[in-house]
């Protein structure tokens, strides 16, 4: 094949059938799970004022290095950015529309981050997620985490682990930050050059570092849970008790701080053990009790998660679960009389709600049967001169043992239904 003139931009992919069908099926599964728990869908813009995303934390990688931002053509121009995630947009929407709390919403769609692409890491990737705004109750944390947990189970994934931590709140975090900073400054020379720079700007972000040189210093760092005030400590205990009551296993990770600055109290991550390497987080989230206020809204508690659809599908491949849906086409119509009858037969089937497809171009029986096989349809309806003369079609089983038989055109819908509902 000749080199194409253009390719999809670096870090992006065309998702073609049948993979796109699998992606759609996964999103539909998520929509059903969220709907069952009373979440409604929000469809929000793919770009926002850059200021919305700056609230994710001025020193986070997502804001400093990974934003796809641009000036629009206005006078004066507005500084916009493609969304790198959806929590900030949802909080902006909450501040703008002031819905009645608790506001339980779900979303799906592409996110954009200018990252170094590698397996499981793209510049455009799809997330599904939920947010609950206006409720501080630890039961909400349990509900949200269990939705994520149950969703992976529904897909058939068994090698996903839940890791949790608490980030405290504005009254206990400063003491922890002081202790963490002391520790990191004391070991400055043992840190990687990049983390030495980060240390002066945002010491917490060093805990996100995956660099080997940083790991010993990180392992010896103080833990946030040892600094929690009474309220945060009780909140975290109740979250854990709720997970225990549901029988959801988890491990505690004192270093789990997640990549954004907005988290308070509960944070959690879902790790896909079947995915090797560092891109093994298949989802994560946490509580953010300040973000709506930061975006100009009333003080509002919030919690949510985002799950990485592309990575979940890689995890499904690795565990051999959640195959793509079967084709919606039940009958492939092969017409060797020129093609006019195929149109009639397809129309009859489709009007009865039976998926039907056909070949074009008046090709030979052999060529059309090849297309029928490739289509994945379980049955072929073959039309030759004999069949036309008798007002019949030959119905052939392409997958099972049923062989073939002639059926009257007027009975075709009934017969296909009988065969496909068995
Ligand atoms: P985050 O919004 O960073 O908390 O990410 C939530 C989930 O989205 C992660 O656990 C990943 O599964 C997925 N994700 C984040 N960034 C990427 C990316 N660049 N490519 C693919 N998936 C991603």
């Amino acid at each position: 094949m000749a080199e194409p003139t253009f390719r999809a931009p670096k870090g992006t992919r065309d998702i073609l059938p049948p993979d796109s069908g699998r992606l759609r099926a996964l999103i539909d599964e998520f929509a059903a799970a969220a709907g069952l728990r009373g979440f409604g869908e929000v469809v929000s813009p793919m770009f926002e004022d850059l200021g919305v995303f700056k609230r994710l934390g001025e020193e986070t990688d997502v804001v400093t290095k990974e934003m796809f931002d641009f000036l629009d053509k206005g006078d004066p121009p507005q500084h916009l950015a493609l969304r790198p995630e959806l929590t900030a947009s949802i909080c902006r929407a909450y501040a703008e529309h002031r819905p009645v709390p608790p506001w339980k919403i779900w979303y799906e769609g592409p996110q954009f981050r200018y990252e170094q692409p590698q397996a499981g890491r793209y510049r455009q990737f799809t997330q599904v997620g939920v947010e609950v705004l206006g409720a501080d109750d630890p039961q909400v944390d349990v509900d949200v985490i269990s939705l994520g947990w149950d969703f992976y189970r529904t897909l058939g994934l068994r090698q996903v682990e839940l890791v949790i931590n608490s980030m405290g709140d504005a009254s206990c975090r400063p003491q922890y930050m002081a202790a963490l900073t002391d520790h990191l400054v004391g070991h400055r020379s043992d840190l990687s050059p990049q983390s030495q720079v980060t240390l002066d700007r945002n010491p917490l972000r060093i805990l996100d570092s995956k660099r080997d040189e940083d790991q010993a210093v990180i392992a010896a760092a103080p833990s946030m849970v040892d600094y929690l005030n009474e309220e945060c400590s009780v909140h975290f205990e109740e979250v854990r008790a709720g997970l225990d009551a549901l029988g959801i296993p988890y491990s505690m990770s004192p270093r789990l701080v997640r990549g954004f600055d907005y988290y308070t109290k509960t944070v959690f991550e879902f790790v896909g053990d079947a995915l090797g390497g560092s891109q093994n987080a298949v989802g994560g989230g946490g509580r953010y009790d300040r973000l709506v206020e930061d975006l100009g809204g009333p003080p509002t508690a919030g919690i949510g998660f985002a799950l990485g659809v592309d990575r979940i599908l890689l995890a499904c491949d690795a565990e051999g679960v959640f195959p793509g849906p079967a084709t919606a086409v039940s009958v492939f119509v092969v017409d060797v009389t020129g093609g006019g009858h195929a149109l009639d037969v397809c129309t009859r089937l489709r009007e009865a709600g039976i998926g039907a497809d056909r070949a074009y171009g008046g090709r030979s029986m052999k060529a059309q049967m090849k297309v029928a096989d490739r289509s994945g349809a379980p049955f072929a309806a073959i039309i030759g001169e004999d069949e036309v003369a008798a007002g019949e079609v030959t119905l052939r089983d392409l997958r099972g043992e049923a062989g073939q038989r002639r059926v009257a055109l007027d009975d075709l819908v009934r017969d296909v239904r009988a065969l496909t509902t068995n």
Side-chain angles (χ1 to χ4, degrees), residues 18-33:
D19 294 343
S20 49
R22 196 169 174 226
L23 177 104
R24 174 58 48 202
L26 186 143
I27 293 171
D28 288 349
E29 247 349 304
F30 188 78

Side-chain angles (χ1 to χ4, degrees), residues 241-270:
L243 294 175
D244 291 340
L246 288 174
I248 297 177
Y250 57 84
S251 56
M252 305 257 291
S253 170
R255 321 283 168 234
L256 178 68
V257 291
R258 312 234 331 112
F260 301 117
D261 279 352
Y262 54 59
Y263 289 114
T264 52
K265 295 183 181 158
T266 318
V267 287
F268 54 95
E269 198 149 80
F270 295 105

Side-chain angles (χ1 to χ4, degrees), residues 62 66 84-87 107 111-113 115-116 118 120-127 152 258-260 262-263 269-270 279-285 305-312:
V62 164
E66 298 169 4
E85 56 104 69
L86 260 159
T87 305
Y107 59 75
Q111 319 297 333
F112 307 88
R113 295 183 195 173
E115 301 203 70
Q116 253 344 91
Q118 49 183 282
R121 178 183 288 192
Y122 312 101
R123 290 185 175 172
Q124 176 175 334
F125 57 97
T126 301
Q127 288 183 335
Y152 296 115
R258 312 234 331 112
F260 301 117
Y262 54 59
Y263 289 114
E269 198 149 80
F270 295 105
Q279 309 306 314
N280 62 356
V282 287
F305 65 61
L307 315 182
V309 170
D310 312 78
R311 267 187 222 172
I312 294 174

Side-chain angles (χ1 to χ4, degrees), residues 323-404:
T327 171
V329 172
S330 298
V331 182
F332 195 94
V333 180
V334 170
D335 178 356
V336 288
T337 69
H341 293 98
L343 179 62
D344 173 42
V345 172
C346 278
T347 305
R348 274 176 190 251
L349 291 164
R350 290 168 187 163
E351 282 178 350
I354 296 170
D357 198 3
R358 55 168 294 186
Y360 297 103
R363 299 164 69 193
S364 71
M365 169 88 169
K366 196 169 158 211
Q368 291 193 46
M369 284 309 295
K370 243 190 191 163
V371 187
D373 274 330
R374 227 181 15 227
S375 76
F379 298 98
I382 303 163
I383 311 166
E385 299 297 349
D386 282 1
E387 283 87 346
V388 172
E392 294 175 343
V393 301
T394 297
L395 194 57
R396 182 183 293 181
D397 187 348
L398 296 175
R399 307 253 161 272
E401 307 284 299
Q404 67 177 43

